[in-house]
Amino acid sequence: MTQIAEDSILTRLRQDADRGTPQALYALASALVTRQQMAEAFDLHHRAAQAGHANAQIETARMLMFGIAANVDVPRAGEWLLRAEAAGSPIAGYFLALMAVGHPSFAREARTNERVLAAVNANYPPALRAAAIHFGRKPDEHDQTLCLQLLERATHAGDVVAAQLLAERLMHGEGCIPQPEAAEELWAQLAPLGIERLPDISLPLPASTPGPSNTLALEEVLQRPAVKLLSAGPRIGQVDGLLSADECRLLMASARPRLQRSRTIDPETGLPVAQEIRTSSDASIDPIVEDLALRLVQLRMCVAAGVSLTQAENLTVLRYEPGQEYRPHRDYRPPGAIEQDRPEAGNRLRTICVYLNEVEAGGETEFPIASAVISPEPGRAIIFDNLFPDGRPDPDSLHAGRPVQQGIKWLATLWLRERRYRHY
Ligand SMILES: O=C(O)CCC(=O)C(=O)O
Ligand SMILES: [Fe+2]
């Protein structure tokens, strides 16, 4: 669109907004958001929200959740969402469920499941995707069918991540008989969007005790898995099959469009720089792109690590090609780096890494001082302490991602702080 045509649209929206109907305020605010004029957009969304416009209430809440043109204010975001939900918006309920996932009362909040179900019934793709992945972990045939049906509905609603999960299931015959033609058809539709096939992974269903069949019970994520201890000092643990094939694929598909050359913190300046120590690519998942499914996976990782989700830095997904590696390093941060990124959260207490695919050769994680070597297996997690119990950095936590020799290695990492890092 030309600049002139765009300006005339904005002028018309402004004239309409001057008459002050909530819909006109909302329309102008939405147009300003696409033009990155966030301060004015927030003011207009807020006015429309006060006048009772449900979508403007959701947008006001989202801007307060993510601190866009306003300071993060989670309680106020929650109030706006409750108002929008009371006015009949299932999407507002979805965001309330999303925020509840990091909260200590999550297990007792039966309404979270009801809210997600309402958003599923409204065909809201992020809710369909999260519910599909939830049912996909359950071995019951009925739940597996539900998973596929929900992925299909999300795909029809335009969700490209769900489409990738669906294609992989159809290809491998997970929860259905193998349907390679249907999978190929989906991949053909995704190709013009620049989306390639995901790595082939085959994984038995996770060993966790599933909730009741045919019932959405997201609190299943809070079950603490058995951790196999590989070393007592520093503590290194392993959990096989922590994540399901759908969850591994979700992480790879969500990260792929956001990959860039990895950076590490320069100990001198405390600033991120590209260095030979870490030659992979990675994607940091900003909370603003975090959907319910991604938050549930991160909560699962945090439960395994015995740490609150609010202590987690942004999820990082790494991708190593042959020859790429993460040379020996420690995850705790130099003092300068802590000061630049929420010093009140303290240092990196613990790390959890989950391998997302099979690596043909190489790519093991090695702890040279603790004498542990872990081979990548999809869904396998390793959890290790970076600090002594008294908070001092433990130099024995030295570890490395050995060079990949053949194939690609995908890994998801959460660096966990000593205290609260996230707002919710
Ligand atoms: O790639 C690996 O095996 C290790 C990754 C790692 O050390 C990290 O993400 O902090
Ligand atoms: Fe590390």
Side-chain angles (χ1 to χ4, degrees):
M1 208 188 295
T2 64
Q3 188 64 40
I4 293 171
E6 230 183 272
D7 286 348
S8 73
I9 289 172
L10 211 56
T11 307
R12 231 192 31 246
L13 286 169
R14 280 193 191 287
Q15 284 163 357
D16 290 348
D18 281 343
R19 285 187 220 112
T21 65
Q23 178 55 32
L25 293 169
Y26 172 73
L28 176 58
S30 303
L32 289 168
V33 166
T34 62
R35 291 165 176 77
Q36 294 293 318
Q37 297 180 34
M38 296 304 191
E40 195 185 351
F42 179 77
D43 183 53
L44 289 159
H45 271 321
H46 191 229
R47 280 169 55 198
Q50 283 171 319
H53 194 284
N55 283 342
Q57 290 169 344
I58 294 173
E59 291 313 309
T60 302
R62 277 173 15 101
M63 291 177 99
L64 289 166
M65 278 166 76
F66 303 126
I68 300 167
N71 288 329
V72 173
D73 190 335
V74 178
R76 248 178 95 207
E79 281 164 25
W80 281 120
L81 290 172
L82 283 169
R83 273 176 73 170
E85 186 186 44
S89 165
I91 296 175
Y94 165 87
F95 280 105
L96 284 164
L98 182 103
M99 286 206 295
V101 163
H103 204 270
S105 70
F106 173 62
R108 297 189 304 277
E109 263 282 21
R111 270 184 312 170
T112 299
N113 291 318
E114 287 163 23
R115 283 177 167 137
V116 175
L117 272 180
V120 163
N121 290 334
N123 252 357
Y124 187 52
L128 293 167
R129 189 199 295 182
I133 293 171
H134 168 73
F135 287 114
R137 285 181 63 98
K138 302 190 193 192
D140 190 291
E141 208 177 298
H142 191 86
D143 293 317
Q144 290 295 311
T145 306
L146 254 175
C147 165
L148 282 155
Q149 286 170 349
L150 291 165
L151 287 176
E152 263 164 29
R153 278 168 60 188
T155 301
H156 284 142
D159 183 336
V160 295
V161 173
Q164 295 174 70
L165 269 54
L166 177 60
E168 290 298 334
R169 275 187 165 257
L170 293 172
M171 188 63 121
H172 292 96
E174 294 168 12
C176 57
I177 51 158
Q179 294 163 60
E181 295 87 11
E184 291 294 351
E185 214 171 284
L186 273 172
W187 288 119
Q189 286 171 22
L190 291 165
L193 306 173
I195 299 172
E196 293 168 13
R197 282 204 57 179
L198 287 168
D200 251 332
I201 52 176
S202 71
L203 231 184
L205 288 178
S208 63
T209 321
S213 176
N214 202 17
T215 308
L216 189 86
L218 296 177
E219 60 280 8
E220 172 274 333
V221 73
L222 297 170
Q223 281 179 39
R224 189 122 195 236
V227 180
K228 183 172 125 196
L229 201 64
L230 303 181
S231 154
R235 276 179 78 84
I236 306 171
Q238 177 176 326
V239 182
D240 283 353
L242 179 70
L243 299 188
S244 66
D246 292 320
E247 289 169 324
C248 293
R249 292 172 186 144
L250 168 79
L251 293 178
M252 292 187 280
S254 305
R256 214 159 36 170
R258 304 188 169 87
L259 286 173
Q260 45 179 315
R261 172 78 167 78
S262 297
R263 287 162 188 277
T264 34
I265 303 296
D266 185 324
E268 301 269 301
T269 62
L271 296 173
V273 282
Q275 283 174 340
E276 280 313 300
I277 182 175
R278 191 168 166 209
T279 51
S280 54
S281 303
D282 68 46
S284 169
I285 308 288
D286 197 279
I288 206 160
V289 297
E290 234 173 48
D291 57 29
L292 179 62
L294 279 171
R295 270 175 70 78
L296 287 165
V297 172
Q298 292 177 77
L299 179 58
R300 193 180 295 292
M301 291 166 70
C302 287
V303 168
V307 166
S308 158
L309 177 58
T310 58
Q311 283 164 258
E313 293 184 18
N314 291 3
L315 178 72
T316 299
V317 178
L318 297 105
R319 181 181 182 278
Y320 300 82
E321 291 184 8
Q324 296 184 338
E325 64 180 320
Y326 198 163
R327 291 199 187 147
H329 67 281
R330 298 165 179 102
D331 287 351
Y332 53 76
R333 307 186 113 205
I338 302 176
E339 274 150 35
Q340 293 202 6
D341 184 19
R342 312 215 179 149
E344 65 282 7
N347 211 328
R348 286 172 170 171
L349 169 73
R350 197 165 291 160
T351 303
I352 174 163
C353 297
V354 187
Y355 308 102
L356 304 177
N357 73 321
E358 264 142 61
V359 185
E360 284 167 51
E364 302 87 352
T365 307
E366 180 180 16
F367 292 79
I369 302 174
S371 300
V373 179
I374 301 104
S375 303
E377 284 288 339
R380 169 179 287 171
I382 50 169
I383 303 160
F384 52 93
D385 283 349
N386 303 305
L387 308 179
F388 289 113
D390 66 4
R392 276 178 308 121
D394 182 351
D396 292 358
S397 63
L398 186 77
H399 60 280
R402 283 186 180 167
V404 169
Q405 281 154 15
Q406 218 177 321
I408 304 286
K409 171 182 168 188
W410 284 87
L411 180 90
T413 294
L414 277 179
W415 290 296
L416 305 163
R417 297 291 196 91
E418 293 172 279
R419 292 177 291 280
R420 181 185 273 270
Y421 179 86
R422 301 186 182 199
H423 296 285
Y424 51 88

